[in-house]
Amino acid sequence: MTRFDQFFQTALEGLSRRHLRRELRPLERDGPVIVRRDGGTLLNFSSNDYLGLSIHPDLKARSIEWTQRFGTGSGASRLVTGTSEQHRLVEEKLARFKGTETALLLASGWQANAAILPALFRLSVEASGAPAVVFTDRLNHASLHHGCQAAGIRQIRFAHNDLGHLEQALERHGDQKGLRFIVTESVFSMDGDRADIAALKALADRYDAFLYLDEAHATGVLGPQGRGLSAEIGGVDLVMGTFSKGLGGFGAYVAGSRPLCDWLVSTCSGFIYTTALPPSLLGAIDAALDLVPTMDAERRHLAALAAQLRTDLARRGWSTGLSSTQIVPVMVGDAEQALALARTLAAQGVLGGAIRPPTVPPGTARIRLALSAAHDAGMLDRLLRALDEGAREHGIVR
Ligand SMILES: Cc1ncc(COP(=O)(O)O)c(C=O)c1O
């Protein structure tokens, strides 16, 4: 015990009373969609490993091979020791995949957003002498908020995916001197809905704004050959994404123009002051980038499963919001009820995470279901039966 522990305890009890306390629970994976927890087996609907690549033999083999050839760690920041051939090869492959001039690897999606935005916004001061004017979707991921906060800018928030509202804001702030930035996601992680990238790009062009797009949940899954929604139209100024979800590994990327990536190499704290990605991860990413473009059948299966699930849930009276992707929220509303429902799911052998404020807005707690190409129709039936049971047990009004 330290003398501060009593403060932690009291603060934690406060979180518990508001049903906001989070806890780590031991879990072991057993195949693409099965996990073991508390001695039982659960069917997993909570993982972002959308294509099941994290256990693919090709990723494992190249990760092992590159570890054996190049070691377990990179030793230092790339600016200190130099850039390895593997980093260069993976970045080139990534730029080809995303259809951009170049790309840059970063440590994680969270770190990328948290560190890129402050570096990017500095450009405004350099170019115009005034701070950046930043327009953000109200439901942007925590890491995007963090990046804005770290940059010390005030976000001009527009209603979720409401481009009319965004346009009004662009109009209202039209006479501000700084460079304009629109920061949003192509697929929203807690709602599974999509941004209209073509319309965003048109707005960005009309108002001379820089478009920053987070493709964390689209990479590998959506767009032509899984290249993300930005690949459908091209011309997005900066696309970031992660390797931790559809690509089955870990780490993140920025894809864009050469001057953009050169700027980040010189100014992005989260790139400069951190150790380069290790060979094991680079090997897995390299293999995933070979496989993903060939996985149209898996993507079709995943999309069909998600559509089926939404139809079945709607038939049973559940709302799935505006989901149109592999992420399907089952809206509950009350945080305590969402937690109770997740507990019943687990008792029925199904893992579906309860997502509560502050991750989602107050009153919109939900079970976030994330589908994988490794799921099948029988598994969806099991999930639906478990949800019905939970609704009955806890008197959840649908
Ligand atoms: C939209 C979005 N961006 C970024 C991240 C962070 O990515 P990573 O898990 O690679 O840190 C997430 C992860 O949940 C996300 O949902």
Side-chain angles (χ1 to χ4, degrees):
M1 284 287 274
T2 78
R3 65 187 194 287
F4 291 100
D5 283 352
Q6 57 175 316
F7 300 129
F8 288 125
Q9 286 303 355
T10 308
L12 283 166
E13 280 156 22
L15 290 181
S16 297
R17 271 196 304 280
R18 285 174 281 142
H19 307 286
L20 296 177
R21 181 154 177 186
R22 295 155 193 254
E23 280 170 0
L24 294 170
R25 304 181 65 180
L27 180 132
E28 213 177 289
R29 276 189 83 178
D30 186 5
V33 288
I34 302 292
V35 292
R36 266 198 275 271
R37 196 171 79 181
D38 302 332
T41 296
L42 301 174
L43 186 51
N44 190 359
F45 286 99
S46 281
S47 166
N48 300 322
D49 184 12
Y50 302 123
L51 298 174
L53 282 180
S54 72
I55 56 162
H56 195 285
D58 290 9
L59 272 74
K60 289 187 197 172
R62 206 162 307 167
S63 178
I64 291 166
E65 185 202 328
W66 286 26
T67 299
Q68 276 169 345
R69 286 173 62 195
F70 308 112
T72 55
S74 293
S77 158
R78 287 164 69 183
L79 287 163
V80 173
T81 48
T83 270
S84 76
E85 181 67 356
Q86 292 67 49
H87 285 94
R88 197 182 61 75
L89 287 175
V90 170
E91 282 175 347
E92 279 176 12
K93 196 177 270 191
L94 192 61
R96 281 197 299 279
F97 176 67
K98 294 298 291 183
T100 55
E101 192 179 0
T102 189
L104 194 63
L105 295 167
L106 287 112
S108 78
W110 192 95
Q111 188 169 326
N113 284 331
I116 293 166
L117 290 172
L120 198 58
F121 298 156
R122 244 180 83 180
L123 188 68
S124 178
V125 179
E126 299 279 338
S128 70
V133 186
V134 182
F135 303 86
T136 56
D137 188 291
R138 234 171 235 157
L139 293 191
N140 272 355
H141 188 257
S143 53
L144 293 166
H145 287 301
H146 194 91
C148 292
Q149 272 173 351
I153 57 104
R154 191 179 70 83
Q155 297 179 55
I156 301 161
R157 296 196 186 170
F158 56 94
H160 175 51
N161 266 343
D162 183 340
L163 300 195
H165 194 216
L166 169 60
E167 181 157 19
Q168 283 168 18
L170 285 161
E171 197 72 59
R172 215 174 36 250
H173 294 271
D175 56 359
Q176 273 181 247
K177 205 168 152 235
L179 298 188
R180 278 175 285 280
F181 294 86
I182 299 169
V183 180
T184 189
E185 303 176 21
S186 60
V187 171
F188 283 80
S189 57
M190 295 300 138
D191 292 79
D193 56 345
R194 310 170 194 225
D196 182 342
I197 312 298
L200 274 166
K201 169 86 174 79
L203 262 189
D205 288 347
R206 196 169 328 136
Y207 288 89
D208 198 19
F210 183 105
L211 183 55
Y212 183 112
L213 192 63
D214 179 330
E215 294 249 55
H217 293 276
T219 307
V221 180
L222 297 170
Q225 297 178 302
R227 295 168 198 273
L229 295 183
S230 60
E232 276 167 358
I233 57 148
V236 173
D237 297 292
L238 183 155
V239 179
M240 72 74 62
T242 72
F243 303 114
S244 58
K245 306 183 195 302
L247 270 71
F250 190 79
Y253 68 84
V254 173
S257 71
R258 171 83 51 199
L260 162 72
C261 289
D262 286 351
W263 174 254
L264 294 177
V265 166
S266 289
T267 62
C268 177
S269 170
F271 176 82
I272 300 169
Y273 300 107
T274 194
T275 301
L277 285 192
S280 55
L281 281 180
L282 293 172
I285 294 167
D286 192 63
L289 287 172
D290 288 342
L291 278 170
V292 160
T294 71
M295 298 182 80
D296 278 347
E298 285 82 352
R299 280 185 284 274
R300 272 196 302 275
H301 172 64
L302 185 56
L305 274 183
Q308 186 63 50
L309 179 59
R310 278 189 291 274
T311 305
D312 291 344
L313 285 167
R315 239 182 241 136
R316 291 163 144 87
W318 293 107
S319 164
T320 56
L322 295 173
S323 161
S324 67
T325 66
Q326 75 282 4
I327 301 168
V328 182
V330 179
M331 305 307 284
V332 178
D334 178 69
E336 201 178 341
Q337 278 199 326
L339 277 177
L341 182 54
R343 274 196 297 274
T344 301
L345 291 182
Q348 302 283 320
V350 168
L351 180 58
I355 309 290
R356 299 161 281 157
T359 307
V360 291
T364 71
R366 65 200 66 181
I367 302 293
R368 175 187 182 269
L369 301 173
L371 296 181
S372 158
H375 286 128
D376 61 29
M379 294 172 179
L380 292 195
D381 283 346
R382 224 174 113 191
L383 164 67
L384 290 163
R385 281 198 303 275
L387 280 166
D388 284 346
E389 177 62 33
R392 251 193 316 277
E393 195 179 327
H394 305 293
I396 294 172
V397 181
R398 291 178 256 178

